[in-house]
Amino acid sequence: VLGDLANAAAAPAKAMIVGGIGTGKTTFLAAVRDSLLHAGVPVLTRPPRHDDPPETAFVVDEAHLLSDGELLK
């Protein structure tokens, strides 16, 4: 999964990472962000907005706190 997400600069990907408390979800998402940044992909940690550059990757932790509308973006 990390490889697929890290290659998102070439082929956009969408994934939902799930697991219990303390299973490493946040650590995994940090690794995804680092990989994308290393590949030169701009990364934001909030839901997309209409004026964000199209090449931006969105890596959001705690997505359960987002509204339905934010999740649909």
Side-chain angles (χ1 to χ4, degrees):
V1 173
L2 181 57
D4 290 340
L5 294 175
N7 291 325
K14 186 183 286 189
M16 181 175 11
I17 309 303
V18 296
I21 296 170
T23 57
K25 299 177 302 291
T26 297
T27 301
F28 178 79
L29 292 174
V32 170
R33 286 191 298 273
D34 290 346
S35 294
L36 289 166
L37 288 169
H38 182 72
V41 178
V43 177
L44 293 173
T45 59
R46 57 159 173 75
R49 297 180 185 147
H50 71 281
D51 58 346
D52 290 324
E55 69 276 9
T56 303
F58 297 91
V59 181
V60 180
D61 200 356
E62 306 294 341
H64 65 284
L65 299 175
L66 301 178
S67 69
D68 289 346
E70 291 171 319
L71 289 170
L72 290 173
K73 295 179 184 181

